[in-house]
Amino acid sequence: MSEAAQAIGESPDPEQATRLFCEAAVPRLADAAAVYLDDGAQHRIDPGDRLPSRWTGEGAGPAASVPERIGDRLITVPLRAYGTPVGCAVLARDGERPPFAEADLFAAGQLGVPAALNVFHGRLHRRQLETVETLQRGMRPDSPPALPGLEISFRYQPAAERVGGDWFDVIPLPGSRVALVVGDVMGHGLAAATVMGQLRTAVQTLASLDLPAEQVLHSLDEMAQRLAAQTLTTCVYCVYDPVLRRCTIASAGHLPPVLVGADGKATVLSPPRCTPIGLGRTPFEAMEIAAEDGSMLVLYTDGLVEERGQDIGQSVDALCGKLSTGAPMEELCDGVLPAARSDDVTLLAIRFKGIPSNDVAQWLVESGPLTPRRVRGLVRRTLDAWGLGSMIPVAELLTSELVTNAVRQTSRPLTVRLLRTDALLCEVSDDDHRLPILREPGVLDADGRGLYLVSQLADRWGTSQVAGGKTVWFSLRIPDQDPPLPREPYGTA
């Protein structure tokens, strides 16, 4: 009995524990044995088919509420762990053996103790896994967002029976730019998933401030030291500008990104080597690359390439070989996933498409009393050339309001930019760092109506601090329209 109890207690899961309980009871204690949980029989050894597949005794009550009971041919043993009922065990004898005695009930109860503990901890572990998996699903995008100038594909595969700290994100930025993030918190379980959620939220907040890539990692490093002591995280943060066709990359101890050119050739990039997030007092640097149309950037975590007994550099080179086949992006992402994995696998692939120059109009205008009127004319002629005549009244009004606010704040030249993608985007930039504050104007107020109009008439709007000043922007949905006229936008001031 001692050996059987030890084997039951050391079982890796409740299924094996209940099987060993029945094997220890039959035929030494009984001719049939079954362990019942509330969802049915966990395991049953019953050559004569004496016991039901589901608990049917004690009326309609659950198996966990069964009391201890002994009869001539039947024993019921409650399974309790830390005072909590988890199920019951039932043993039966045929007529050729003597009736059950108190010693048989005692032996069955001793075998039931480790079995109950195993079931209890198994349920607790499953609940923890479900909690962490729910947490991770809620923090990870369900599908790639539709953004102009790029095509996105991703894969995520959690490790078997474990959850970890992998995450990725695609964050829209002003000017149709986009931030791409892949991170990996060291460790597994609820602790790693919790830290991952905190850092992902922090990255989204820092990205909304439109900070340089290296400054995002620096600020994230400072936050990580306060949020999660003794936790290290690797992270790569990229910003893609589809207008300039440039991509900035900063890495904090993460595996190097892979760039697949338009010709299909894969190259391992070498961003400045920096330490992981969480060490503190570490400078971060960034690199900038040309993002040619048709090329693809691949970000990933170590679960994709890490293989026991193989150098990580060789694994990355092998990944480049798989990405150099020239197959479509979705096929490439499926083809590089490992057949077996011991760690979480996260893969984020981005195909650069860029925004055509004919869909961009930008002007540098002097700041003065006549500037709003001049900008209204530029907007009117550009939208007319783009075949967006129905949008001219609202776009003119809102652009004029933003330009008027900028003229009041600075005497230096302003930058006005229009972008036509799936929406019409207007940006007004000046050298004043003070961000405007939205408020609802009173009946007699002479100021404060411009930004309020923008907030009410635009589909989306926002402000961001940039190097040398700030940018205020708004976007309007482009209605269904006829094809635009084959004319160039009016692009000079």
Side-chain angles (χ1 to χ4, degrees):
M1 186 175 66
S2 175
E3 293 176 357
Q6 181 177 359
I8 294 170
E10 295 175 351
S11 300
D13 53 66
E15 290 75 12
Q16 183 173 339
T18 54
R19 177 180 62 81
L20 291 177
F21 175 92
C22 294
E23 291 177 353
V26 178
R28 297 177 182 176
L29 293 178
D31 298 302
V35 175
Y36 294 100
L37 306 180
D38 288 341
D39 54 354
Q42 185 76 10
H43 195 80
R44 184 166 61 121
I45 297 179
D46 190 7
D49 200 22
R50 302 172 181 85
L51 303 175
S53 59
R54 299 185 65 86
W55 173 251
T56 57
E58 302 297 328
S65 64
V66 173
E68 184 178 80
R69 186 169 297 174
I70 180 173
D72 290 344
R73 302 298 169 186
L74 195 70
I75 287 179
T76 58
V77 179
L79 302 180
R80 294 188 179 91
Y82 308 108
T84 302
V86 299
C88 72
V90 179
L91 280 64
R93 282 183 177 177
D94 57 29
E96 298 179 359
R97 299 180 66 167
F100 282 116
E102 290 292 334
D104 301 317
L105 180 62
F106 175 79
Q110 293 299 302
L111 294 177
V113 170
L117 290 171
N118 204 302
V119 171
F120 178 87
H121 289 291
R123 287 178 174 178
L124 181 62
H125 180 62
R126 280 195 296 269
R127 284 197 296 269
Q128 290 176 339
L129 287 179
E130 291 171 358
T131 300
V132 176
E133 289 169 357
T134 301
L135 179 66
Q136 286 188 313
R137 283 195 300 269
M139 294 179 177
R140 190 170 290 108
D142 295 327
S143 59
L147 297 174
L150 71 164
E151 180 183 353
I152 305 170
S153 180
F154 68 86
R155 300 291 186 274
Y156 171 73
Q157 294 181 345
E161 299 183 357
R162 292 193 302 174
V163 289
D166 282 19
W167 93 89
F168 69 93
D169 225 330
V170 179
I171 308 170
L173 299 176
S176 292
R177 294 173 300 128
V178 60
L180 312 164
V181 190
V182 170
D184 184 5
V185 179
M186 294 185 183
H188 294 88
L190 185 58
T194 302
V195 174
M196 177 269 290
Q198 293 174 321
L199 295 182
R200 179 172 182 255
T201 302
V203 171
Q204 289 180 332
T205 302
L206 295 169
S208 68
L209 300 176
D210 206 10
L211 300 174
E214 62 273 18
Q215 183 61 45
V216 169
L217 294 185
H218 175 75
S219 300
L220 186 65
D221 182 49
E222 293 182 338
M223 290 184 179
Q225 295 176 68
R226 296 193 299 269
L227 294 174
Q230 308 301 321
T231 299
L232 296 181
T233 301
T234 64
C235 180
V236 58
Y237 183 87
C238 310
V239 177
Y240 169 56
D241 190 328
V243 177
L244 300 179
R245 290 170 171 77
R246 306 290 295 178
C247 185
T248 303
I249 304 172
S251 176
H254 204 78
L255 290 169
V258 175
L259 180 66
V260 183
D263 58 357
K265 182 180 179 180
T267 304
V268 180
L269 300 178
S270 300
R273 299 183 64 180
C274 302
T275 57
I277 298 295
L279 292 179
R281 299 181 181 179
T282 302
F284 294 97
E285 301 179 28
M287 67 178 294
E288 187 174 81
I289 63 171
E292 299 178 354
D293 291 354
S295 60
M296 183 174 67
L297 183 68
V298 179
L299 311 176
Y300 53 94
T301 56
D302 55 3
L304 182 69
V305 295
E306 196 172 45
E307 188 173 340
R308 181 173 297 178
Q310 183 172 346
D311 180 73
I312 193 71
Q314 296 178 349
S315 299
V316 174
D317 292 338
L319 173 64
C320 288
K322 296 177 182 178
L323 293 172
S324 299
T325 61
M329 186 165 67
E330 294 294 334
E331 293 184 15
L332 287 177
C333 291
D334 290 333
V336 300
L337 294 179
R341 58 188 183 277
S342 58
D343 198 1
D344 298 342
V345 175
T346 298
L347 171 69
L348 178 63
I350 308 95
R351 178 83 68 185
F352 300 130
K353 292 184 176 181
I355 295 177
S357 58
N358 287 342
D359 292 332
V360 182
Q362 181 169 316
W363 310 281
L364 183 66
V365 295
E366 293 291 339
S367 176
L370 299 180
T371 302
R373 186 179 69 178
R374 296 178 61 194
V375 171
R376 285 196 298 270
L378 296 172
V379 171
R380 186 185 313 115
R381 286 188 284 270
T382 299
L383 295 186
D384 183 60
W386 283 344
L388 303 177
S390 63
M391 303 183 66
I392 290 176
V394 175
E396 253 190 303
L397 172 63
L398 301 187
T399 305
S400 179
E401 295 295 341
L402 295 187
V403 171
T404 300
N405 289 343
V407 168
R408 291 179 176 179
Q409 299 295 330
T410 182
S411 59
R412 297 181 180 178
L414 316 174
T415 300
V416 181
R417 184 166 73 165
L418 294 179
L419 292 97
R420 178 183 61 172
T421 56
D422 56 340
L424 177 67
L425 175 67
C426 175
E427 297 176 323
V428 177
S429 303
D430 60 64
D431 64 353
D432 186 77
H433 287 85
R434 294 171 295 177
L435 298 179
I437 299 175
L438 175 65
R439 61 184 179 88
E440 186 172 356
V443 177
L444 301 179
D445 288 347
D447 297 324
R449 301 184 185 278
L451 200 60
Y452 181 75
L453 277 175
V454 174
S455 69
Q456 296 300 306
L457 297 179
D459 294 319
R460 296 176 61 238
W461 77 280
T463 62
S464 60
Q465 289 182 327
V466 296
K470 69 174 181 296
T471 296
V472 185
W473 59 271
F474 69 84
S475 66
L476 297 170
R477 182 183 62 85
I478 296 179
D480 296 335
Q481 56 180 333
D482 295 330
L485 298 176
R487 291 185 290 174
E488 295 293 328
Y490 190 81
T492 59

